[in-house]
Amino acid sequence: MVTIAFDHLYRYDELTKALHSLAEQYPLLMTVESVGTSFEGRDIWLVTVTNSATGPHNEKPAIWADANIHSAEHTGSLAALYLINKLVTQYGNDPKVTRAIDTRTFYVMPRVNPDGAELAIADTPQLLRSSVRPWPRTDEQPGLVEHDIDGNGRILSMRVIDPNGPWKISEHDARLLVAREPDDFGDGPYFRLLYEGWIRDYDGVNLGLAPERRSLDLNRQFPAGWRVHGEQLGAGPFPLSEPETRTLAEALTARPNVCCYFAHHTFSAVILRPFDDRPDSDFPTVDVKTYDALGRKGTEITGYKHLGVYDHFRYDPKDVITGGADTWVYDHLGIFGWTTEFWSPLPHAGITDYHLIDWFANHPVEHDLQLLAYSDNELGGAGFANWEPFDHPQLGSIEIGGWDLMRFWFNPPDNLLEAEVAPHADWQIFCALATPRLVLRDILVERIGDGSWRVRVVVANDGWLPTNVTQRSIDKKIATGVEATVTLEDGSRLVTGQPMIDLGQLAGRSRATTMISDFGGTESDATPDLGVAEWIVSAAANTPIAVEIVHPRAGAIRTTITLA
Ligand SMILES: [Zn+2]
């Protein structure tokens, strides 16, 4: 019996073993396959969860979740593993999980960027942003290079006494550095604050930061709105140029049954939705409403706010971020996509009224003290390392310490991991159950003459979303309709019409909002969720005819009808 622990961040080998162990234990519910390899040659795993006894994975509506495209965001990876584990272990126990696996498919790519993730969690870690491939330059540049120089397994900060330093010790807590005021003069001490590392080609004076050799950001690589590196840092030479993003995009687009997409990131404790580069007014209205209806449920279940990026989550009001996966899946694939930024220490420290982005540039010192107190009292000091003297080979006597980015800001402390990720699996299962699904409603056979039959097959969408999922997929001609096809034996023939009938799109229950939304009752609910395929067949009595009804996003129905 495999037991998966959610009390620590996983290295690649342990994650790989966990996925394969679960797949061995639950062979009817889960498979794991390599769908590509990373720059350094690691397999990129894709897990498929569905009940294989109720039909193949690609003939059921699906959701997709992926994680760790950014190197240091392992909590997202653990959340992906949590979702997989919850699905297979709760099948047969939890009615919603059981229903979801019987009727839907879950595709999970727990680690999109295994190379960068492995470095961020190595014994001697490196906190690089994303891919390990050097780009745009491969040569080494002079300047400060991030490195765990004291070998304690953490990348922290160096504080260096300097009469012209912009930092001073807080009067409230000697560990805390605060910005020096314009009228602060005298002996200080004043400090320069640098990330932990060493200086390549040090000239004894300049501490310039070496340009990041690995400046690719794989989540700026997706085709929708892609812009060159000079406009969008990290974008790479062209969209999907990297093996990791190419693998993701090929695997996702090869699964046209995916209706909802979730990218796991850290941090901010927020669920983000498109657009990255346009206001909500550029959406079809119905898509904003649907996004927010599903997002409200996300907030209810997880406590995370649900926000549109352009209107609520921009680092620079005059600029946008482009090339993210969530906007790409909405814009080009016509499905709903979200980016979940797991975890924030702020609410845990009692800081609840803050602006998600502006806070980092400016906040009262009381907030820093609250965060320190939280680390001291609740986490045994794990969030902030006390300054320790260190004899730096180039800078001489300095101190190393400060906030632990990896274990306090980018990821929760180990003991909080499971509680942080668990509710998100419930929200994703909720969204899976919202996807459109074709069900056979009725078969009506009527004899209309000697050897002639009217065959009517009634199909329903019993999901909440319409079969097209988004209005976008209709506007951009991405969605095809429900197609009903009859296959006749030799000796039978269609009297009129074609074997294949396009029934268009079937509505879902998302059309119903409140009883008083349609003033005057001019619209009624009617039956937009039903489709009827009708054929007139000439055949001998008791002849079987085969009918297939399929929609790429809403599944497939196959049935044989006997004319009688
Ligand atoms: Zn991220």
Side-chain angles (χ1 to χ4, degrees):
M1 187 66 146
V2 187
T3 304
I4 307 294
F6 298 97
D7 58 1
H8 63 283
L9 304 178
Y10 278 53
R11 292 189 184 186
Y12 181 75
D13 285 348
E14 188 182 15
L15 176 66
T16 298
K17 189 160 172 278
L19 298 176
H20 285 86
S21 302
L22 283 171
E24 274 168 36
Q25 188 171 340
Y26 299 98
L28 298 178
L29 301 180
M30 170 179 167
T31 60
V32 56
E33 64 190 303
S34 172
V35 288
T37 50
S38 66
F39 176 69
E40 291 183 337
R42 290 183 176 85
D43 284 308
I44 298 173
W45 302 117
L46 181 68
V47 169
T48 301
V49 182
T50 192
N51 180 2
S52 55
T54 57
H57 67 89
N58 56 353
E59 293 191 355
K60 293 170 183 162
I63 70 157
W64 171 290
D66 63 50
N68 235 165
I69 197 168
H70 288 147
S71 299
E73 302 176 0
H74 294 65
T75 301
S77 206
L78 200 73
L81 184 60
Y82 189 93
L83 172 64
I84 296 165
N85 186 68
K86 171 152 189 158
L87 291 170
V88 295
T89 59
Q90 294 309 305
Y91 182 79
N93 299 322
D94 178 325
K96 288 184 182 175
V97 169
T98 307
R99 167 83 178 174
I101 302 185
D102 281 343
T103 60
R104 266 77 176 184
T105 298
F106 294 76
Y107 299 113
V108 187
M109 187 177 276
R111 193 155 288 179
V112 178
N113 169 29
D115 304 345
E118 201 66 356
L119 273 186
I121 205 170
D123 289 339
T124 300
Q126 297 178 38
L127 294 184
L128 75 166
R129 173 67 170 165
S130 197
S131 166
V132 303
R133 183 169 86 85
W135 190 88
R137 297 181 65 129
T138 54
D139 57 338
E140 309 283 8
Q141 301 282 303
L144 180 64
V145 178
E146 181 196 277
H147 183 67
D148 176 22
I149 198 150
D150 63 356
N152 69 349
R154 300 201 279 182
I155 302 280
L156 297 167
S157 299
M158 306 191 295
R159 67 179 192 184
V160 183
I161 290 184
D162 188 311
N164 210 33
W167 301 93
K168 64 178 182 178
I169 290 171
S170 165
E171 62 192 71
H172 302 288
D173 190 310
R175 293 172 293 176
L176 196 62
L177 293 179
V178 293
R180 187 175 166 187
E181 296 288 340
D183 61 352
D184 273 331
F185 55 89
D187 294 335
Y190 303 117
F191 298 88
R192 292 186 193 276
L193 190 58
L194 306 161
Y195 54 71
E196 190 180 337
W198 60 279
I199 303 111
R200 183 179 288 114
D201 300 334
Y202 188 42
D203 64 4
V205 178
N206 287 302
L207 294 175
L209 308 180
E212 176 53 80
R213 283 175 76 230
R214 299 163 302 190
S215 66
L216 282 166
D217 184 335
L218 297 175
N219 203 36
R220 307 290 181 264
Q221 267 262 296
F222 291 91
W226 184 90
R227 295 180 297 168
V228 296
H229 182 66
E231 289 179 56
Q232 175 55 69
L233 196 67
F238 56 90
L240 306 178
S241 61
E242 304 308 303
E244 296 84 3
T245 46
R246 178 67 67 97
T247 295
L248 192 167
E250 286 182 346
L252 178 57
T253 54
R255 289 160 178 77
N257 50 330
V258 173
C259 302
C260 296
Y261 168 92
F262 302 86
H264 293 184
H265 288 249
T266 73
F267 68 95
S268 286
V270 64
I271 298 166
L272 301 173
R273 65 155 170 79
F275 284 113
D276 296 339
D277 57 351
R278 279 158 282 169
D280 281 2
S281 52
D282 279 14
F283 273 101
T285 304
V286 64
D287 286 354
V288 178
K289 287 183 174 172
T290 307
Y291 248 128
D292 288 344
L294 292 169
R296 267 195 301 278
K297 193 68 179 182
T299 300
E300 185 186 315
I301 293 175
T302 70
Y304 287 17
K305 282 183 183 156
H306 177 252
L307 301 172
V309 169
Y310 184 88
D311 290 326
H312 300 287
F313 202 78
R314 274 192 292 162
Y315 293 89
D316 179 345
K318 292 190 181 127
D319 199 4
V320 293
I321 290 174
T322 53
D326 57 1
T327 287
W328 171 62
V329 302
Y330 176 74
D331 215 15
H332 288 188
L333 309 186
I335 63 176
F336 290 110
W338 288 272
T339 294
T340 300
E341 300 281 0
F342 284 91
W343 166 251
S344 170
L346 270 62
H348 292 263
I351 304 162
T352 51
D353 187 18
Y354 62 94
H355 187 278
L356 283 164
I357 303 275
D358 297 345
W359 186 89
F360 291 94
N362 191 15
H363 57 256
V365 70
E366 287 73 25
H367 286 184
D368 292 316
L369 297 170
Q370 279 177 267
L371 286 158
L372 276 174
Y374 169 60
S375 169
D376 291 344
N377 301 332
E378 306 292 330
L379 308 176
F384 193 99
N386 290 333
W387 298 100
E388 297 287 347
F390 182 74
D391 188 17
H392 193 284
Q394 294 169 303
L395 301 174
S397 181
I398 64 158
E399 292 171 285
I400 294 178
W403 293 113
D404 187 329
L405 289 178
M406 183 69 186
R407 303 289 180 159
F408 186 71
W409 289 101
F410 296 164
N411 297 284
D414 284 351
N415 61 323
L416 298 180
L417 276 166
E418 182 163 359
E420 197 68 32
V421 301
H424 294 266
D426 293 336
W427 180 49
Q428 290 168 347
I429 291 163
F430 171 87
C431 290
L433 289 171
T435 58
R437 189 180 74 118
L438 296 181
V439 292
L440 184 60
R441 173 74 171 254
D442 217 346
I443 297 170
L444 304 165
V445 179
E446 182 190 351
R447 186 173 179 166
I448 55 173
D450 201 22
S452 292
W453 310 81
R454 185 205 308 270
V455 178
R456 295 201 300 161
V457 178
V458 186
V459 61
N461 170 17
D462 85 344
W464 183 82
L465 288 166
T467 51
N468 47 288
V469 179
T470 64
Q471 182 62 35
R472 176 88 184 166
S473 64
I474 292 179
D475 295 347
K476 299 298 172 187
K477 299 186 167 53
I478 299 166
T480 52
V482 176
E483 294 182 352
T485 307
V486 66
T487 306
L488 301 175
E489 294 192 342
D490 288 348
S492 307
R493 64 180 176 84
L494 280 181
V495 175
T496 59
Q498 299 295 323
M500 195 278 275
I501 298 171
D502 187 342
L503 300 176
Q505 306 296 342
L506 302 182
R509 294 194 305 280
S510 60
R511 69 191 186 276
T513 53
T514 74
M515 273 181 71
I516 53 172
S517 62
D518 292 330
F519 290 105
T522 51
E523 294 179 50
S524 71
D525 193 27
T527 54
D529 53 321
L530 301 183
V532 185
E534 177 176 319
W535 297 276
I536 307 292
V537 179
S538 171
N542 297 317
T543 302
I545 67 170
V547 171
E548 179 186 73
I549 303 170
V550 296
H551 187 284
R553 291 177 175 174
I557 296 167
R558 291 192 186 80
T559 188
T560 301
I561 301 166
T562 301
L563 299 175

